[in-house]
Amino acid sequence: MKAPDADVGALADVLLDAEVGGFQDAKLLVNLSTASVRRAIANFYANKARDDLLLLYFSGHGVLDDQGRLYLAVKDTERSLLRLLASRPRTSRMK
């Protein structure tokens, strides 16, 4: 990808524009390690209320494993460890 940094910056500008997106906060994570990204995503979803509107946007690459499953990739992704390190997708509902 040529400019994921610019992609997320431009999207943040639109989301934070009171007349367009109306969001009050946007946190940009650019070129961080797997551990940092996982921690930031966990914190993003922690302690949110049922009526909160959340948007998680990923601009980057994906990697397919041997079974054809897609994983999001960050700067230090190790192909050989995808299945061991990846979070399994879950569907959850807030009560």
Side-chain angles (χ1 to χ4, degrees):
M1 297 191 74
K2 292 184 180 182
D5 302 10
D7 288 352
V8 297
L11 179 60
D13 290 344
V14 170
L15 293 173
L16 293 171
D17 184 318
E19 294 183 19
V20 181
F23 280 78
Q24 296 174 4
D25 184 34
K27 183 172 183 175
L28 308 181
L29 307 176
V30 179
N31 293 326
L32 298 179
S33 68
T34 300
S36 295
V37 171
R38 289 173 69 99
R39 189 176 311 108
I41 291 172
N43 285 328
F44 175 70
Y45 285 112
N47 301 316
K48 301 300 181 202
R50 181 183 182 125
D51 61 343
D52 286 343
L53 175 61
L54 305 175
L55 173 65
L56 175 68
Y57 174 78
F58 179 83
S59 178
H61 292 282
V63 177
L64 293 174
D65 69 7
D66 295 338
Q67 305 297 313
R69 291 178 289 227
L70 179 64
Y71 297 85
L72 301 181
V74 296
K75 73 177 190 171
D76 63 346
T77 297
E78 295 182 52
R79 263 184 190 271
S80 62
L81 301 177
L82 286 176
R83 288 186 58 210
L84 297 172
L85 297 175
S87 297
R88 297 198 58 168
R90 293 183 296 241
T91 303
S92 62
R93 293 189 176 152
M94 298 178 86
K95 294 182 179 184

